[in-house]
Amino acid sequence: QVQLVESGGGLVQAGGSLRLWCAASGRTFSSYAMGWFRQAPGKERGKEREFVAAINWSGSRTYYADSVKGRFTISRDNAKNTVYLQMNSLKPEDTAVYYCAADRSIGDVTTPGAEYWGQGTQVTVSS
């Protein structure tokens, strides 16, 4: 069982930066691939949930959606049971609730079918 808690969301102007983090419980964090998803306003959870980024268990492989490539960076610290999402050059269209996800499979953590989810943190980018 893995419990995930996201933090770091907030309000930022376009062009600004935010850093999200997701703290995981349990001693098997390093066994899990981790991912970030987002859901824009007006989208019911489970529908239109968009993949943002993912990282494998060791941090040696990362994956990004085309919409965030070059602006967002995913990283992890297995000693702290934490995964991060550094978001730079933010745009109003990045406004969404951001969710952290965990799965033993790097393939599954890039899909909405990932095994474990956090409750989300709101990111709002003003124009």
Side-chain angles (χ1 to χ4, degrees):
Q1 189 79 8
V2 177
Q3 293 184 326
L4 305 172
V5 179
E6 303 94 336
S7 300
L11 173 65
V12 64
Q13 287 188 331
S17 298
L18 276 177
R19 191 189 197 199
L20 307 182
W21 62 94
C22 171
S25 66
R27 292 179 286 181
T28 60
F29 175 74
S30 61
S31 299
Y32 287 84
M34 301 297 296
W36 287 96
F37 286 74
R38 65 187 181 187
Q39 192 157 20
K43 304 291 186 183
E44 180 183 340
R45 182 170 179 175
K47 299 180 180 179
E48 303 295 332
R49 186 166 43 190
E50 178 189 11
F51 167 73
V52 175
I55 189 167
N56 73 331
W57 69 272
S58 67
S60 63
R61 289 184 290 159
T62 57
Y63 305 87
Y64 296 95
D66 288 343
S67 57
V68 306
K69 202 171 292 183
R71 299 188 297 123
F72 291 11
T73 302
I74 188 171
S75 61
R76 68 188 295 162
D77 186 337
N78 286 344
K80 296 182 178 179
N81 281 14
T82 303
V83 61
Y84 305 95
L85 185 68
Q86 178 67 43
M87 305 186 294
N88 298 329
S89 302
L90 283 161
K91 305 174 182 179
E93 51 264 44
D94 294 318
T95 295
V97 177
Y98 282 71
Y99 296 93
C100 176
D103 199 287
R104 291 189 182 274
S105 165
I106 185 64
D108 288 345
V109 87
T110 63
T111 75
E115 187 171 6
Y116 299 105
W117 293 87
Q119 292 302 304
T121 186
Q122 176 70 48
V123 171
T124 303
V125 184
S126 63
S127 57

